[in-house]
PDB file of all heavy atoms in Angstrom:
ATOM      1  N   GLY B  40     -27.755   9.745 -10.845  1.00 86.00           N
ATOM      2  CA  GLY B  40     -27.630  10.515  -9.612  1.00 86.00           C
ATOM      3  C   GLY B  40     -27.153   9.699  -8.438  1.00 86.00           C
ATOM      4  O   GLY B  40     -27.476  10.003  -7.281  1.00 86.00           O
ATOM      5  N   LEU B  41     -26.345   8.656  -8.727  1.00 85.00           N
ATOM      6  CA  LEU B  41     -25.893   7.760  -7.661  1.00 85.00           C
ATOM      7  C   LEU B  41     -24.410   7.857  -7.361  1.00 85.00           C
ATOM      8  O   LEU B  41     -23.954   7.306  -6.351  1.00 85.00           O
ATOM      9  CB  LEU B  41     -26.228   6.300  -8.029  1.00 85.00           C
ATOM     10  CG  LEU B  41     -27.717   5.939  -8.052  1.00 85.00           C
ATOM     11  CD1 LEU B  41     -27.918   4.559  -8.654  1.00 85.00           C
ATOM     12  CD2 LEU B  41     -28.294   5.995  -6.638  1.00 85.00           C
ATOM     13  N   LEU B  42     -23.643   8.527  -8.205  1.00 83.00           N
ATOM     14  CA  LEU B  42     -22.217   8.644  -7.913  1.00 83.00           C
ATOM     15  C   LEU B  42     -22.004   9.564  -6.713  1.00 83.00           C
ATOM     16  O   LEU B  42     -21.177   9.296  -5.832  1.00 83.00           O
ATOM     17  CB  LEU B  42     -21.449   9.169  -9.126  1.00 83.00           C
ATOM     18  CG  LEU B  42     -19.930   9.131  -8.997  1.00 83.00           C
ATOM     19  CD1 LEU B  42     -19.437   7.694  -8.865  1.00 83.00           C
ATOM     20  CD2 LEU B  42     -19.258   9.802 -10.195  1.00 83.00           C
ATOM     21  N   ILE B  43     -22.768  10.658  -6.690  1.00 80.00           N
ATOM     22  CA  ILE B  43     -22.801  11.540  -5.519  1.00 80.00           C
ATOM     23  C   ILE B  43     -24.273  11.678  -5.157  1.00 80.00           C
ATOM     24  O   ILE B  43     -24.953  12.625  -5.560  1.00 80.00           O
ATOM     25  CB  ILE B  43     -22.174  12.919  -5.813  1.00 80.00           C
ATOM     26  CG1 ILE B  43     -20.757  12.749  -6.357  1.00 80.00           C
ATOM     27  CG2 ILE B  43     -22.156  13.773  -4.549  1.00 80.00           C
ATOM     28  CD1 ILE B  43     -20.088  14.056  -6.742  1.00 80.00           C
ATOM     29  N   PRO B  44     -24.815  10.706  -4.419  1.00 74.00           N
ATOM     30  CA  PRO B  44     -26.257  10.671  -4.150  1.00 74.00           C
ATOM     31  C   PRO B  44     -26.735  11.897  -3.395  1.00 74.00           C
ATOM     32  O   PRO B  44     -26.067  12.392  -2.489  1.00 74.00           O
ATOM     33  CB  PRO B  44     -26.423   9.403  -3.302  1.00 74.00           C
ATOM     34  CG  PRO B  44     -25.201   8.595  -3.575  1.00 74.00           C
ATOM     35  CD  PRO B  44     -24.104   9.580  -3.812  1.00 74.00           C
ATOM     36  N   GLN B  45     -27.904  12.389  -3.798  1.00 71.00           N
ATOM     37  CA  GLN B  45     -28.518  13.523  -3.121  1.00 71.00           C
ATOM     38  C   GLN B  45     -30.013  13.263  -3.002  1.00 71.00           C
ATOM     39  O   GLN B  45     -30.620  12.621  -3.865  1.00 71.00           O
ATOM     40  CB  GLN B  45     -28.265  14.820  -3.900  1.00 71.00           C
ATOM     41  CG  GLN B  45     -26.800  15.223  -3.944  1.00 71.00           C
ATOM     42  CD  GLN B  45     -26.573  16.507  -4.718  1.00 71.00           C
ATOM     43  OE1 GLN B  45     -27.493  17.047  -5.316  1.00 71.00           O
ATOM     44  NE2 GLN B  45     -25.346  17.008  -4.689  1.00 71.00           N
ATOM     45  N   GLY B  46     -30.603  13.785  -1.951  1.00 68.00           N
ATOM     46  CA  GLY B  46     -32.039  13.612  -1.758  1.00 68.00           C
ATOM     47  C   GLY B  46     -32.393  12.190  -1.365  1.00 68.00           C
ATOM     48  O   GLY B  46     -31.576  11.436  -0.850  1.00 68.00           O
ATOM     49  N   ASN B  47     -33.642  11.826  -1.616  1.00 76.00           N
ATOM     50  CA  ASN B  47     -34.124  10.490  -1.268  1.00 76.00           C
ATOM     51  C   ASN B  47     -33.712   9.499  -2.357  1.00 76.00           C
ATOM     52  O   ASN B  47     -34.147   9.605  -3.501  1.00 76.00           O
ATOM     53  CB  ASN B  47     -35.644  10.498  -1.115  1.00 76.00           C
ATOM     54  CG  ASN B  47     -36.084  11.347   0.070  1.00 76.00           C
ATOM     55  OD1 ASN B  47     -35.418  11.356   1.100  1.00 76.00           O
ATOM     56  ND2 ASN B  47     -37.204  12.050  -0.078  1.00 76.00           N
ATOM     57  N   VAL B  48     -32.857   8.578  -1.979  1.00 79.00           N
ATOM     58  CA  VAL B  48     -32.363   7.581  -2.928  1.00 79.00           C
ATOM     59  C   VAL B  48     -32.719   6.199  -2.404  1.00 79.00           C
ATOM     60  O   VAL B  48     -32.654   5.931  -1.198  1.00 79.00           O
ATOM     61  CB  VAL B  48     -30.830   7.700  -3.102  1.00 79.00           C
ATOM     62  CG1 VAL B  48     -30.338   6.684  -4.135  1.00 79.00           C
ATOM     63  CG2 VAL B  48     -30.448   9.107  -3.535  1.00 79.00           C
ATOM     64  N   ASN B  49     -33.107   5.316  -3.312  1.00 87.00           N
ATOM     65  CA  ASN B  49     -33.437   3.949  -2.946  1.00 87.00           C
ATOM     66  C   ASN B  49     -32.234   3.263  -2.303  1.00 87.00           C
ATOM     67  O   ASN B  49     -31.128   3.328  -2.823  1.00 87.00           O
ATOM     68  CB  ASN B  49     -33.880   3.197  -4.211  1.00 87.00           C
ATOM     69  CG  ASN B  49     -34.236   1.751  -3.918  1.00 87.00           C
ATOM     70  OD1 ASN B  49     -33.366   0.882  -3.862  1.00 87.00           O
ATOM     71  ND2 ASN B  49     -35.516   1.501  -3.727  1.00 87.00           N
ATOM     72  N   ILE B  50     -32.468   2.608  -1.154  1.00 90.00           N
ATOM     73  CA  ILE B  50     -31.371   1.957  -0.429  1.00 90.00           C
ATOM     74  C   ILE B  50     -30.698   0.886  -1.285  1.00 90.00           C
ATOM     75  O   ILE B  50     -29.465   0.765  -1.300  1.00 90.00           O
ATOM     76  CB  ILE B  50     -31.883   1.323   0.889  1.00 90.00           C
ATOM     77  CG1 ILE B  50     -32.356   2.423   1.861  1.00 90.00           C
ATOM     78  CG2 ILE B  50     -30.788   0.480   1.548  1.00 90.00           C
ATOM     79  CD1 ILE B  50     -31.247   3.350   2.328  1.00 90.00           C
ATOM     80  N   GLY B  51     -31.479   0.126  -2.011  1.00 91.00           N
ATOM     81  CA  GLY B  51     -30.908  -0.907  -2.870  1.00 91.00           C
ATOM     82  C   GLY B  51     -29.984  -0.326  -3.926  1.00 91.00           C
ATOM     83  O   GLY B  51     -28.920  -0.902  -4.221  1.00 91.00           O
ATOM     84  N   ASP B  52     -30.368   0.826  -4.492  1.00 90.00           N
ATOM     85  CA  ASP B  52     -29.514   1.480  -5.489  1.00 90.00           C
ATOM     86  C   ASP B  52     -28.211   1.971  -4.858  1.00 90.00           C
ATOM     87  O   ASP B  52     -27.145   1.899  -5.484  1.00 90.00           O
ATOM     88  CB  ASP B  52     -30.263   2.663  -6.125  1.00 90.00           C
ATOM     89  CG  ASP B  52     -31.417   2.212  -7.020  1.00 90.00           C
ATOM     90  OD1 ASP B  52     -31.441   1.029  -7.395  1.00 90.00           O
ATOM     91  OD2 ASP B  52     -32.286   3.053  -7.335  1.00 90.00           O
ATOM     92  N   LEU B  53     -28.296   2.464  -3.618  1.00 92.00           N
ATOM     93  CA  LEU B  53     -27.095   2.915  -2.914  1.00 92.00           C
ATOM     94  C   LEU B  53     -26.128   1.746  -2.679  1.00 92.00           C
ATOM     95  O   LEU B  53     -24.917   1.901  -2.831  1.00 92.00           O
ATOM     96  CB  LEU B  53     -27.464   3.538  -1.565  1.00 92.00           C
ATOM     97  CG  LEU B  53     -27.980   4.972  -1.553  1.00 92.00           C
ATOM     98  CD1 LEU B  53     -28.330   5.390  -0.125  1.00 92.00           C
ATOM     99  CD2 LEU B  53     -26.959   5.926  -2.139  1.00 92.00           C
ATOM    100  N   VAL B  54     -26.666   0.591  -2.314  1.00 94.00           N
ATOM    101  CA  VAL B  54     -25.829  -0.579  -2.072  1.00 94.00           C
ATOM    102  C   VAL B  54     -25.115  -0.999  -3.356  1.00 94.00           C
ATOM    103  O   VAL B  54     -23.919  -1.305  -3.345  1.00 94.00           O
ATOM    104  CB  VAL B  54     -26.670  -1.749  -1.516  1.00 94.00           C
ATOM    105  CG1 VAL B  54     -25.843  -3.032  -1.473  1.00 94.00           C
ATOM    106  CG2 VAL B  54     -27.194  -1.415  -0.125  1.00 94.00           C
ATOM    107  N   VAL B  55     -25.835  -0.978  -4.471  1.00 94.00           N
ATOM    108  CA  VAL B  55     -25.228  -1.344  -5.758  1.00 94.00           C
ATOM    109  C   VAL B  55     -24.148  -0.335  -6.141  1.00 94.00           C
ATOM    110  O   VAL B  55     -23.048  -0.718  -6.570  1.00 94.00           O
ATOM    111  CB  VAL B  55     -26.305  -1.429  -6.866  1.00 94.00           C
ATOM    112  CG1 VAL B  55     -25.654  -1.547  -8.245  1.00 94.00           C
ATOM    113  CG2 VAL B  55     -27.222  -2.616  -6.622  1.00 94.00           C
ATOM    114  N   ALA B  56     -24.438   0.960  -5.968  1.00 94.00           N
ATOM    115  CA  ALA B  56     -23.454   1.997  -6.310  1.00 94.00           C
ATOM    116  C   ALA B  56     -22.192   1.833  -5.471  1.00 94.00           C
ATOM    117  O   ALA B  56     -21.068   1.928  -5.983  1.00 94.00           O
ATOM    118  CB  ALA B  56     -24.063   3.386  -6.094  1.00 94.00           C
ATOM    119  N   ARG B  57     -22.369   1.563  -4.183  1.00 95.00           N
ATOM    120  CA  ARG B  57     -21.207   1.354  -3.305  1.00 95.00           C
ATOM    121  C   ARG B  57     -20.405   0.140  -3.737  1.00 95.00           C
ATOM    122  O   ARG B  57     -19.165   0.178  -3.778  1.00 95.00           O
ATOM    123  CB  ARG B  57     -21.676   1.196  -1.857  1.00 95.00           C
ATOM    124  CG  ARG B  57     -20.546   1.018  -0.850  1.00 95.00           C
ATOM    125  CD  ARG B  57     -21.087   0.796   0.550  1.00 95.00           C
ATOM    126  NE  ARG B  57     -21.829  -0.465   0.648  1.00 95.00           N
ATOM    127  CZ  ARG B  57     -22.563  -0.814   1.719  1.00 95.00           C
ATOM    128  NH1 ARG B  57     -22.630  -0.009   2.773  1.00 95.00           N
ATOM    129  NH2 ARG B  57     -23.220  -1.961   1.733  1.00 95.00           N
ATOM    130  N   ASP B  58     -21.091  -0.927  -4.086  1.00 97.00           N
ATOM    131  CA  ASP B  58     -20.401  -2.147  -4.504  1.00 97.00           C
ATOM    132  C   ASP B  58     -19.603  -1.917  -5.781  1.00 97.00           C
ATOM    133  O   ASP B  58     -18.470  -2.404  -5.917  1.00 97.00           O
ATOM    134  CB  ASP B  58     -21.420  -3.263  -4.719  1.00 97.00           C
ATOM    135  CG  ASP B  58     -20.757  -4.629  -4.838  1.00 97.00           C
ATOM    136  OD1 ASP B  58     -19.891  -4.939  -3.997  1.00 97.00           O
ATOM    137  OD2 ASP B  58     -21.092  -5.373  -5.773  1.00 97.00           O
ATOM    138  N   ILE B  59     -20.170  -1.169  -6.718  1.00 97.00           N
ATOM    139  CA  ILE B  59     -19.459  -0.858  -7.968  1.00 97.00           C
ATOM    140  C   ILE B  59     -18.178  -0.090  -7.671  1.00 97.00           C
ATOM    141  O   ILE B  59     -17.110  -0.390  -8.211  1.00 97.00           O
ATOM    142  CB  ILE B  59     -20.372  -0.053  -8.915  1.00 97.00           C
ATOM    143  CG1 ILE B  59     -21.500  -0.948  -9.451  1.00 97.00           C
ATOM    144  CG2 ILE B  59     -19.566   0.542 -10.078  1.00 97.00           C
ATOM    145  CD1 ILE B  59     -22.597  -0.192 -10.191  1.00 97.00           C
ATOM    146  N   LEU B  60     -18.261   0.914  -6.803  1.00 97.00           N
ATOM    147  CA  LEU B  60     -17.086   1.720  -6.460  1.00 97.00           C
ATOM    148  C   LEU B  60     -16.046   0.903  -5.704  1.00 97.00           C
ATOM    149  O   LEU B  60     -14.837   1.076  -5.895  1.00 97.00           O
ATOM    150  CB  LEU B  60     -17.505   2.939  -5.642  1.00 97.00           C
ATOM    151  CG  LEU B  60     -18.395   3.964  -6.369  1.00 97.00           C
ATOM    152  CD1 LEU B  60     -18.822   5.073  -5.402  1.00 97.00           C
ATOM    153  CD2 LEU B  60     -17.664   4.568  -7.569  1.00 97.00           C
ATOM    154  N   GLU B  61     -16.502  -0.007  -4.850  1.00 97.00           N
ATOM    155  CA  GLU B  61     -15.557  -0.863  -4.124  1.00 97.00           C
ATOM    156  C   GLU B  61     -14.833  -1.813  -5.075  1.00 97.00           C
ATOM    157  O   GLU B  61     -13.616  -2.015  -4.958  1.00 97.00           O
ATOM    158  CB  GLU B  61     -16.296  -1.647  -3.044  1.00 97.00           C
ATOM    159  CG  GLU B  61     -16.733  -0.771  -1.875  1.00 97.00           C
ATOM    160  CD  GLU B  61     -17.528  -1.535  -0.828  1.00 97.00           C
ATOM    161  OE1 GLU B  61     -18.147  -2.566  -1.173  1.00 97.00           O
ATOM    162  OE2 GLU B  61     -17.538  -1.108   0.344  1.00 97.00           O
ATOM    163  N   ILE B  62     -15.566  -2.385  -6.017  1.00 97.00           N
ATOM    164  CA  ILE B  62     -14.921  -3.229  -7.023  1.00 97.00           C
ATOM    165  C   ILE B  62     -13.929  -2.408  -7.827  1.00 97.00           C
ATOM    166  O   ILE B  62     -12.832  -2.866  -8.166  1.00 97.00           O
ATOM    167  CB  ILE B  62     -15.977  -3.883  -7.948  1.00 97.00           C
ATOM    168  CG1 ILE B  62     -16.760  -4.940  -7.166  1.00 97.00           C
ATOM    169  CG2 ILE B  62     -15.316  -4.510  -9.175  1.00 97.00           C
ATOM    170  CD1 ILE B  62     -17.906  -5.567  -7.951  1.00 97.00           C
ATOM    171  N   GLY B  63     -14.295  -1.150  -8.114  1.00 97.00           N
ATOM    172  CA  GLY B  63     -13.375  -0.257  -8.822  1.00 97.00           C
ATOM    173  C   GLY B  63     -12.098  -0.010  -8.034  1.00 97.00           C
ATOM    174  O   GLY B  63     -10.990  -0.028  -8.594  1.00 97.00           O
ATOM    175  N   ALA B  64     -12.233   0.186  -6.726  1.00 97.00           N
ATOM    176  CA  ALA B  64     -11.058   0.429  -5.876  1.00 97.00           C
ATOM    177  C   ALA B  64     -10.140  -0.787  -5.864  1.00 97.00           C
ATOM    178  O   ALA B  64      -8.917  -0.666  -6.004  1.00 97.00           O
ATOM    179  CB  ALA B  64     -11.501   0.778  -4.456  1.00 97.00           C
ATOM    180  N   LEU B  65     -10.715  -1.973  -5.722  1.00 97.00           N
ATOM    181  CA  LEU B  65      -9.903  -3.198  -5.670  1.00 97.00           C
ATOM    182  C   LEU B  65      -9.305  -3.537  -7.027  1.00 97.00           C
ATOM    183  O   LEU B  65      -8.170  -4.014  -7.116  1.00 97.00           O
ATOM    184  CB  LEU B  65     -10.757  -4.361  -5.154  1.00 97.00           C
ATOM    185  CG  LEU B  65     -11.237  -4.220  -3.701  1.00 97.00           C
ATOM    186  CD1 LEU B  65     -12.198  -5.349  -3.336  1.00 97.00           C
ATOM    187  CD2 LEU B  65     -10.060  -4.196  -2.734  1.00 97.00           C
ATOM    188  N   THR B  66     -10.060  -3.269  -8.091  1.00 97.00           N
ATOM    189  CA  THR B  66      -9.522  -3.473  -9.446  1.00 97.00           C
ATOM    190  C   THR B  66      -8.329  -2.559  -9.681  1.00 97.00           C
ATOM    191  O   THR B  66      -7.324  -2.965 -10.282  1.00 97.00           O
ATOM    192  CB  THR B  66     -10.609  -3.214 -10.498  1.00 97.00           C
ATOM    193  OG1 THR B  66     -11.671  -4.164 -10.342  1.00 97.00           O
ATOM    194  CG2 THR B  66     -10.048  -3.337 -11.914  1.00 97.00           C
ATOM    195  N   SER B  67      -8.409  -1.330  -9.190  1.00 97.00           N
ATOM    196  CA  SER B  67      -7.308  -0.376  -9.345  1.00 97.00           C
ATOM    197  C   SER B  67      -6.050  -0.880  -8.651  1.00 97.00           C
ATOM    198  O   SER B  67      -4.946  -0.788  -9.195  1.00 97.00           O
ATOM    199  CB  SER B  67      -7.702   0.989  -8.777  1.00 97.00           C
ATOM    200  OG  SER B  67      -8.805   1.525  -9.474  1.00 97.00           O
ATOM    201  N   ILE B  68      -6.207  -1.434  -7.440  1.00 96.00           N
ATOM    202  CA  ILE B  68      -5.053  -1.968  -6.709  1.00 96.00           C
ATOM    203  C   ILE B  68      -4.454  -3.144  -7.456  1.00 96.00           C
ATOM    204  O   ILE B  68      -3.232  -3.235  -7.639  1.00 96.00           O
ATOM    205  CB  ILE B  68      -5.457  -2.390  -5.288  1.00 96.00           C
ATOM    206  CG1 ILE B  68      -5.887  -1.178  -4.463  1.00 96.00           C
ATOM    207  CG2 ILE B  68      -4.302  -3.112  -4.592  1.00 96.00           C
ATOM    208  CD1 ILE B  68      -4.793  -0.163  -4.250  1.00 96.00           C
ATOM    209  N   ARG B  69      -5.303  -4.055  -7.904  1.00 95.00           N
ATOM    210  CA  ARG B  69      -4.808  -5.242  -8.613  1.00 95.00           C
ATOM    211  C   ARG B  69      -4.119  -4.850  -9.922  1.00 95.00           C
ATOM    212  O   ARG B  69      -3.227  -5.556 -10.390  1.00 95.00           O
ATOM    213  CB  ARG B  69      -5.959  -6.209  -8.880  1.00 95.00           C
ATOM    214  CG  ARG B  69      -6.539  -6.808  -7.604  1.00 95.00           C
ATOM    215  CD  ARG B  69      -7.716  -7.737  -7.888  1.00 95.00           C
ATOM    216  NE  ARG B  69      -8.324  -8.200  -6.644  1.00 95.00           N
ATOM    217  CZ  ARG B  69      -9.358  -9.032  -6.590  1.00 95.00           C
ATOM    218  NH1 ARG B  69      -9.885  -9.502  -7.721  1.00 95.00           N
ATOM    219  NH2 ARG B  69      -9.860  -9.404  -5.423  1.00 95.00           N
ATOM    220  N   SER B  70      -4.547  -3.732 -10.499  1.00 96.00           N
ATOM    221  CA  SER B  70      -3.919  -3.235 -11.732  1.00 96.00           C
ATOM    222  C   SER B  70      -2.737  -2.322 -11.430  1.00 96.00           C
ATOM    223  O   SER B  70      -2.124  -1.781 -12.355  1.00 96.00           O
ATOM    224  CB  SER B  70      -4.957  -2.470 -12.573  1.00 96.00           C
ATOM    225  OG  SER B  70      -6.069  -3.278 -12.873  1.00 96.00           O
TER     226      SER B  70
END
Side-chain angles (χ1 to χ4, degrees):
L41 292 170
L42 189 63
I43 305 177
Q45 294 180 354
N47 294 323
V48 182
N49 180 276
I50 294 295
D52 290 343
L53 280 178
V54 171
V55 169
R57 182 183 65 189
D58 193 47
I59 290 169
L60 295 176
E61 288 177 335
I62 290 175
L65 295 174
T66 297
S67 298
I68 295 297
R69 294 178 185 181
S70 303

